[in-house]
Amino acid sequence: MVGRITIDMNRVEGDLEVQLDVEDNTIRDSWCVGTMYRGYEQILVGRAPSDVLVIVPRICGICSTAQLYAGVRALEDAWGVRPAPNGVRVRNLCLMAEAVMNDVRQTFMMFCPDFCHPAYRCHPLYPEIVAAFEPPLKGYFARQAILRPKGMLGVITAFAGQWPHATYMAPGGVTCEVTAEKLAKCESAIDEYQAWYETEVLGCSSDQWLSLETTEDFLGWLDEHPHTGAGLYAGFGRAIGLQHLGQGTAQLLSCGCYPSPNHDGFLSRGGYLNKGRVEPFDHRQVGNTPATRGLPTTDQPTRGIRLPRLSTGKTEGNTATPRRHATPSRLSN
């Protein structure tokens, strides 16, 4: 018997739905459904290019900096404009600040609430997990994910004056000055955020965290910090077997889309590990590199992918517990 699983990705904007046909714990077919049409591409048709700077940041109230950056780079590519080095630095700094803020919110507000699914109620950590992440915003870590990361917005507002929907980026750089006062405001915001992050999320200094180089190092840290934000996330995730779900390859690396101020690529290029060395990644060579050979490409559907059994739930009829953890990394049409 084939069961239909419908997963609504609506914790933020409600614009995505994933449907899976599952038989004997195996995905037989899958669909990705856009449930909310906004049509920004059509809104921009026939408008002046400068309107991009006002309209595009309003696509999303969470990643408006990333949207603005993408829009500005599209205009620069079209016009052959090379932005000033300091303009690139300001853009990258603000994009990094938004990414840091959203990383915490994505983890503690949008992913970890799934840990509160009743399927896990018999787990010894369940009461602590519910206290930390219970939706909507009842868990103490979920509330902190709203309040504390907002401090990182000080980096963006130092240059933009507002967030979201700021328009301080423009072809050629940014429309604001880089002053000592603004840089001091950025440092203050970063210091305040780091103090909270090291105390509540890591339970140790950033230097100690960055010194972890092996799995054994990490597991040792986890034994010492089980009740921190990262400790709860990693400890409970490993306890329910998330490390075995949704895996692709351990070799591929992504370091973010931060262009170099010197126009010679990116601050850190993506790539793949080959005998301990990071090799540049060419998307045209997917399936042909040592790290990616045999991986599914966009031309290879996911029909027949096996779903690992969960220790706390199984597929029954039209539901699965928990539902979100059964999503494949790529979906066929």
Side-chain angles (χ1 to χ4, degrees):
M1 177 178 177
V2 178
R4 172 68 57 84
I5 300 175
T6 299
I7 307 171
D8 298 317
M9 305 291 192
N10 58 2
R11 195 157 277 157
V12 181
E13 297 170 343
D15 55 0
L16 182 66
E17 179 180 283
V18 175
Q19 296 180 355
L20 305 175
D21 277 356
V22 180
E23 182 179 16
D24 296 330
N25 210 40
T26 301
I27 296 175
R28 298 303 183 188
D29 211 341
S30 56
W31 298 266
C32 184
V33 184
T35 59
M36 182 171 67
Y37 175 76
R38 289 183 281 183
Y40 275 82
E41 296 85 354
Q42 281 67 43
I43 292 173
L44 290 170
V45 172
R47 290 183 175 270
S50 58
D51 286 353
V52 168
L53 307 178
V54 178
I55 295 175
V56 167
R58 286 163 171 77
I59 291 177
C60 179
I62 295 176
C63 55
S64 63
T65 302
Q67 303 290 353
L68 175 61
Y69 205 161
V72 169
R73 290 193 63 199
L75 292 179
E76 289 173 340
D77 288 345
W79 292 335
V81 174
R82 298 184 66 178
N86 269 358
V88 177
R89 292 185 178 98
V90 171
R91 294 176 183 180
N92 287 344
L93 179 61
C94 293
L95 184 60
M96 290 175 183
E98 187 176 80
V100 166
M101 178 184 70
N102 287 341
D103 183 60
V104 168
R105 291 184 171 181
Q106 170 71 23
T107 302
F108 296 138
M109 289 175 53
M110 302 175 200
F111 185 84
C112 286
D114 286 336
F115 288 168
C116 300
H117 194 285
Y120 301 126
R121 61 184 176 274
C122 295
H123 194 282
L125 283 176
Y126 187 72
E128 187 174 0
I129 290 295
V130 171
F133 305 122
E134 183 180 8
L137 300 178
K138 295 179 181 179
Y140 65 88
F141 252 113
R143 294 195 299 270
Q144 288 190 47
I146 281 284
L147 299 175
R148 293 297 188 169
K150 287 176 62 177
M152 287 300 292
L153 294 179
V155 174
I156 300 175
T157 58
F159 300 103
Q162 70 175 54
W163 182 95
H165 315 325
T167 57
Y168 60 103
M169 299 183 193
V174 292
T175 61
C176 51
E177 293 182 296
V178 180
T179 65
E181 181 181 0
K182 291 178 180 179
L183 294 178
K185 183 178 179 181
C186 292
E187 289 185 350
S188 177
I190 293 171
D191 289 344
E192 181 178 351
Y193 179 83
Q194 181 177 353
W196 168 76
Y197 196 88
E198 291 181 339
T199 301
E200 300 295 334
V201 179
L202 297 181
C204 65
S205 69
S206 298
D207 289 338
Q208 181 180 346
W209 173 258
L210 293 174
S211 70
L212 305 178
E213 296 183 350
T214 66
T215 302
E216 289 71 22
D217 291 342
F218 171 75
L219 294 178
W221 169 89
L222 187 57
D223 287 339
E224 296 176 0
H225 305 87
H227 306 294
T228 61
L232 283 173
Y233 171 77
F236 191 76
R238 289 177 61 82
I240 62 176
L242 292 191
Q243 71 272 29
H244 303 302
L245 298 180
Q247 288 183 335
T249 174
Q251 288 86 359
L252 297 185
L253 301 175
S254 173
C255 302
C257 187
Y258 303 106
S260 168
N262 299 322
H263 309 291
D264 56 355
F266 295 86
L267 296 183
S268 296
R269 297 187 60 183
Y272 65 93
L273 292 178
N274 183 17
K275 298 180 180 179
R277 296 175 55 191
V278 178
E279 304 287 352
F281 177 68
D282 185 344
H283 71 278
R284 295 168 298 183
Q285 298 299 317
V286 171
N288 294 322
T289 67
T292 62
R293 188 172 295 118
L295 291 181
T297 67
T298 53
D299 296 326
Q300 295 174 295
T302 58
R303 293 178 179 86
I305 287 181
R306 293 287 300 177
L307 293 179
R309 293 269 180 194
L310 299 175
S311 58
T312 53
K314 62 181 180 180
T315 302
E316 294 180 353
N318 294 326
T319 62
T321 53
R323 297 186 304 167
R324 280 176 193 262
H325 298 156
T327 308
S329 58
R330 285 191 176 90
L331 299 175
S332 60
N333 293 327

